Amino acid sequence: MTTTETHEPVTAPIVPSFDDEASSGRKLAIICSKGSLDMAYPGLILANAALGEGVEVDMFFTFWGFDMINPKYMGDLKFTMLGNPATHMPQGLGGVPGMTSMATHQLKRAIADLDVPEVPEFLEQIKASGGRLWACRMSADMQHLSEEDLWDGIEAIISASDFIEKTAGAQLLFI
């Protein structure tokens, strides 16, 4: 007995191209919703890396992420071990007086040892590299803040809907 095989057309696998032309037209939208030191850096690092690859970057600061763009707080963000099991320390230690200061100091030192800039300088670098930084209208209203209260590098205070329109087609990261 003979069998007849039918062959589906074979399509070539998609292989990414890492040359300069591949990055044109790419867009990344990063929503920064947290204002602690350990949560500020992932968005900043990803934005900086994307800009270095020629990707268009928009960052949207909302809720506690406003601390990253508020001159009163942006240079003094804190890191707490409390409620963070990734510190691999007993949770009770996080509530000990002085522990947040110590943990913040240790994290800042580790970041500085890698020659990573502090938050205000990192924002300056992102802005200078073409990144666009937006503040959330609802968060500004909740905190009774205006553009004058925020870091000068912010493009504007816009609504979530406006941000969605501005970043249509972008890859979205929520941090």
Side-chain angles (χ1 to χ4, degrees):
M1 177 173 181
T2 62
T3 60
T4 309
E5 292 183 28
T6 59
H7 295 281
E8 297 288 325
V10 177
T11 57
I14 298 172
V15 178
S17 172
F18 296 104
D19 56 358
D20 289 337
E21 286 184 31
S23 63
S24 64
R26 292 179 59 202
K27 295 167 64 172
L28 178 61
I30 302 172
I31 299 172
C32 298
S33 67
K34 310 241 180 349
S36 61
L37 186 63
D38 59 319
M39 293 307 295
Y41 276 98
L44 298 173
I45 291 166
L46 289 166
N48 188 58
L51 287 164
E53 294 296 320
V55 176
E56 185 179 319
V57 174
D58 287 274
M59 298 182 80
F60 187 67
F61 299 87
T62 188
F63 286 91
W64 295 272
F66 254 56
D67 283 358
M68 293 174 64
I69 57 170
N70 186 331
K72 291 180 181 178
Y73 307 114
M74 64 192 299
D76 194 31
L77 300 180
K78 306 284 187 230
F79 170 62
T80 181
M81 297 170 21
L82 199 57
N84 187 346
T87 61
H88 307 289
M89 300 287 287
Q91 287 297 296
L93 287 178
V96 172
M99 202 50 106
T100 295
S101 293
M102 185 190 77
T104 299
H105 174 75
Q106 293 290 352
L107 182 57
K108 281 186 174 187
R109 189 172 66 190
I111 290 168
D113 286 349
L114 296 173
D115 290 326
V116 175
E118 291 192 20
V119 171
E121 291 78 26
F122 220 153
L123 287 168
E124 288 281 351
Q125 183 176 319
I126 289 166
K127 182 77 175 170
S129 297
R132 288 178 305 277
L133 310 169
W134 309 96
C136 172
R137 164 58 54 206
M138 187 179 89
S139 295
D141 291 347
M142 285 172 48
Q143 297 180 41
H144 308 288
L145 297 172
S146 66
E147 284 186 36
E148 292 77 32
D149 299 314
L150 301 176
W151 178 65
D152 290 339
I154 295 298
E155 301 279 332
I157 296 175
I158 62 174
S159 70
S161 296
D162 289 339
F163 183 72
I164 290 168
E165 285 298 314
K166 289 179 181 302
T167 60
Q171 180 180 2
L172 178 65
L173 299 175
F174 187 89
I175 300 173

